[in-house]
Amino acid sequence: MLNWNNLDTLASYQELEKAERINLAEVMSGENGAERVKTYSTPIVDGLTFNYAAKAVDDNVLAILDKLAKEAQLVEKYESLYNGAVINTGEKRLVLHQLTRGQLGGKVEADGVDKREFYVTQQKRIAEFANQVHAGEITNAAGEKFTTVVQIGIGGSDLGPRAMYLAMENWAKKNGAFKMEAKFISNVDPDDAAAVLNSIDVEHSLFVLVSKSGTTLETLTNESFVKDALAKAGLDASKHMIAVTSETSPLAKSDDYLAAFFMDDFIGGRYSSTSAVGGAVLSLAFGPEVFAQFLEGAAEVDRRATNKNLLENPEMLDALIGVYERNVLGYPATAVLPYSQALSRFPAHLQQMDMESNGKSVNRFGEPIDYVTGPLIFGEPGTNGQHSFYQLLHQGTDIVPLQFIGFKDSQIGTDVVIQGSTSQQKLCANVAAQIVAFACGKADDNRNKNFEGGRPSSIIIGEQLTPKTLGALLAHFENKVMFQGFAWNVNSFDQEGVQLGKVLAKRVLAHETDGALKVYSDLLNI
Ligand SMILES: O=P(O)(O)OC[C@H]1O[C@H](O)[C@H](O)[C@@H](O)[C@@H]1O
């Protein structure tokens, strides 16, 4: 039997509140600090490690977090999720994104369908389609190969796939796996679609229309925008477009598309990168084998996250340190700082994954809760961020926990030695320096130059960003957010908070406004 209790009712949480606070600057200094960096570390997968030495925790706090994990039954809740329980209480749905990359528990059936089989079938259909496109068996009307793939989608149908594409693009080029260039149209701003269309050769472009619901205003508008451009170029849109949607959506049975691939209601948009939503564009761009490696990395993390030992479960550990920082230490935000240009859109993806999941004020039964939940997430790749917002992170009045990500090797491998070091070494030197600067600070008589320190961070260190380590990185955060949602006793899998704005926008477009909404509409000339 699972107990779905609010965080503040747990005995271990009360113990956590009373636990002695750690002086991070002190514990990270000298030999003690060196020892922490060596020991406060646990593997995520081969070639990827979670190091939490610079977090404000010690063995005592970790032991209490372990009690909390057990009292809140975090792994048991995960088990019930992947065995097909109705975890998404708001929408009364199963939550099955882990099943798109592996079978963790027993067979999961819904409406008489084996769901693992369904996801694998879609993967196979996509793989076959992608191979045919690459082989020139599926072509444009003139019998010429498609060279570019353009994804049309927004939110989860854009952010994850786009971030994953960018993360693998240079790796694929370097490793002979690059098949087609991918572009993305998401915003309803006409300049987004127009700029992408201006940058491609439409005659040789294949468009992937992605919408789980098939009703998203931005995506349907951009579909029409693209169809208009295809018609103007004298092209038959139905020969240039495929759809990725759920079988129940209005797009599912249309003749407007060359092919349709499916996901379902049990895959949340922000968790859909490993479903057909990411599968279509990534398999077209890099080939099905690369997509399979990406899934394998995610699957390995999903398996590891079943470990009940907190220190051997980096997803649960990361999650609970985050809960400690948010609820006990009162920190409002988390900055995601990848020292990897390939991860330039990864923070944007995590913003949706985390904030849409855990930005909740009621528990999973709809009752108000008396504690804070999901933090504000933002970030930029290092070292660019260092020359931008790090000032506030080092000396501002809020303490913002930091999530660094760094790799020993670059993806392309082209580098240059300047003043005795390569660019990759300079990149890595900066991340090491930042961790210690944030944690330990530096005293100065000039208050303006003083660094208090005590600013916590963790780092995920990898050998190289490959499809497999990328899949692992993605699943690490998906599972972290899931465990945090369990700890906060919220439903991490719906997003009612996005609805009101959509309803009001429709009213504006129908000219059914009054009061402030009418004046804003007039000011914006609608
Ligand atoms: O894939 P779609 O149904 O078009 O949804 C696209 C996005 O829009 C919604 O408003 C939600 O906030 C997102 O969670 C979702 O990913």
Side-chain angles (χ1 to χ4, degrees):
M1 264 301 282
L2 292 176
N3 297 311
W4 296 98
N5 294 324
N6 285 358
L7 178 69
D8 56 359
T9 64
L10 305 182
S12 50
Y13 178 68
Q14 277 139 30
E15 196 181 338
L16 192 63
E17 283 186 308
K18 289 186 209 113
E20 199 181 321
R21 304 286 199 270
I22 288 97
N23 182 330
L24 185 62
E26 210 174 281
V27 297
M28 277 297 281
S29 301
E31 266 316 298
N32 188 18
E35 198 49 36
R36 274 175 74 95
V37 180
K38 283 184 213 151
T39 51
Y40 275 19
S41 171
T42 185
I44 295 175
V45 287
D46 262 0
L48 204 65
T49 301
F50 176 62
N51 189 300
Y52 52 101
K55 286 290 195 188
V57 295
D58 60 6
D59 290 351
N60 178 44
V61 168
L62 291 170
I64 303 171
L65 292 179
D66 186 48
K67 281 191 211 169
L68 201 156
K70 295 195 164 72
E71 191 181 355
Q73 300 174 301
L74 298 187
V75 170
E76 288 83 350
K77 285 173 184 168
Y78 176 35
E79 283 166 4
S80 98
L81 178 148
Y82 64 68
N83 280 307
V86 180
I87 292 294
N88 177 352
T89 42
E91 296 172 313
K92 304 203 172 28
R93 290 177 181 167
L94 322 191
V95 174
L96 299 182
H97 50 273
Q98 282 96 350
L99 204 58
T100 61
R101 52 235 191 187
Q103 181 90 53
L104 281 165
K107 187 153 114 177
V108 178
E109 273 189 351
D111 302 324
V113 176
D114 177 337
K115 284 283 132 182
R116 172 72 186 150
E117 215 174 284
F118 169 71
Y119 300 133
V120 171
T121 301
Q122 298 309 312
Q123 269 160 25
K124 286 187 182 150
R125 291 184 59 229
I126 289 170
E128 206 174 304
F129 181 84
N131 287 337
Q132 283 177 314
V133 170
H134 299 151
E137 289 159 24
I138 294 175
T139 62
N140 69 6
E144 295 155 345
K145 274 191 176 187
F146 289 113
T147 55
T148 307
V149 48
V150 184
Q151 174 131 332
I152 307 169
I154 198 164
S157 297
D158 166 59
L159 289 161
R162 189 195 296 247
M164 299 306 119
Y165 171 78
L166 292 173
M168 287 192 264
E169 186 182 15
N170 285 325
W171 179 91
K173 284 181 179 162
K174 179 74 187 173
N175 290 279
F178 191 74
K179 312 274 187 203
M180 294 169 83
E181 188 183 16
K183 300 264 183 176
F184 296 83
I185 299 174
S186 56
N187 200 336
V188 77
D189 181 342
D191 286 347
D192 189 10
V196 171
L197 288 168
N198 286 341
S199 74
I200 58 170
D201 164 15
V202 280
E203 216 179 317
H204 299 97
S205 295
L206 185 64
F207 295 86
V208 187
L209 180 74
V210 188
S211 178
K212 173 176 151 181
S213 61
T215 59
T216 303
L217 172 90
E218 289 87 341
T219 302
L220 296 183
T221 304
N222 279 325
E223 178 190 16
S224 300
F225 204 110
V226 166
K227 280 185 168 164
D228 190 55
L230 288 167
K232 283 187 181 135
L235 301 165
D236 175 355
S238 69
K239 299 278 181 292
H240 281 258
M241 208 175 268
I242 63 172
V244 177
T245 188
S246 54
E247 285 175 305
T248 49
S249 105
L251 307 177
K253 299 275 175 306
S254 163
D255 292 333
D256 290 355
Y257 313 105
L258 203 52
F261 303 104
F262 303 111
M263 34 104 76
D264 61 23
D265 280 347
F266 307 142
I267 309 292
R270 53 193 174 275
Y271 297 99
S272 64
S273 294
T274 52
S275 75
V277 169
V281 66
L282 297 174
S283 299
L284 283 162
F286 309 129
E289 294 77 18
V290 170
F291 185 64
Q293 290 165 33
F294 169 68
L295 295 186
E296 182 43 39
E300 227 177 288
V301 167
D302 292 343
R303 287 194 291 273
R304 181 168 286 255
T306 61
N307 193 324
K308 287 192 178 152
N309 180 346
L310 182 69
L311 300 184
E312 291 171 9
N313 183 332
E315 290 63 56
M316 192 158 74
L317 180 59
D318 197 359
L320 288 186
I321 295 174
V323 168
Y324 176 59
E325 289 175 335
R326 186 81 183 98
N327 297 89
V328 178
L329 304 178
Y331 302 150
T334 295
V336 181
L337 309 166
Y339 278 62
S340 160
Q341 192 57 29
L343 292 176
S344 60
R345 291 295 289 169
F346 197 66
H349 173 52
L350 283 194
Q351 254 170 358
Q352 187 198 10
M353 190 206 288
D354 200 320
M355 293 166 77
E356 211 171 57
S357 296
N358 288 337
K360 308 283 164 68
S361 317
V362 295
N363 70 11
R364 63 201 315 281
F365 308 110
E367 298 151 354
I369 44 181
D370 287 335
Y371 46 85
V372 293
T373 58
L376 196 76
I377 304 285
F378 69 100
E380 277 291 323
T383 58
N384 299 30
Q386 288 176 211
H387 298 275
S388 164
F389 53 82
Y390 277 36
Q391 165 63 38
L392 182 148
L393 301 182
H394 278 290
Q395 289 186 315
T397 47
D398 276 307
I399 291 186
V400 178
L402 314 164
Q403 174 64 71
F404 291 107
I405 303 167
F407 300 93
K408 291 180 202 171
D409 298 331
S410 67
Q411 286 184 316
I412 301 178
T414 308
D415 210 335
V416 56
V417 178
I418 304 272
Q419 294 174 346
S421 60
T422 62
S423 293
Q424 183 65 22
Q425 286 170 328
K426 290 182 180 75
L427 178 72
C428 290
N430 269 282
V431 73
Q434 289 294 337
I435 296 173
V436 174
F438 278 115
C440 300
K442 184 184 82 64
D444 198 303
D445 292 341
N446 178 345
R447 289 295 305 159
N448 196 39
K449 292 181 189 293
N450 187 63
F451 289 77
E452 297 267 330
R455 296 177 185 237
S457 68
S458 58
I459 180 165
I460 294 176
I461 302 180
E463 298 290 329
Q464 192 194 37
L465 185 60
T466 62
K468 191 171 171 192
T469 46
L470 179 67
L473 197 63
L474 176 79
H476 174 81
F477 287 103
E478 289 184 355
N479 290 320
K480 171 192 168 177
V481 166
M482 171 194 72
F483 282 130
Q484 288 192 326
F486 289 157
W488 284 318
N489 203 27
V490 298
N491 173 17
S492 304
F493 303 104
D494 65 359
Q495 57 287 320
E496 293 301 330
V498 302
Q499 296 306 333
L500 178 59
K502 290 186 193 173
V503 172
L504 294 185
K506 270 196 189 145
R507 221 182 276 169
V508 173
L509 290 171
H511 301 286
E512 289 165 3
T513 52
D514 53 18
L517 198 55
K518 170 143 189 29
V519 182
Y520 280 121
S521 307
D522 293 344
L523 282 173
L524 289 160
N525 199 20
I526 304 154

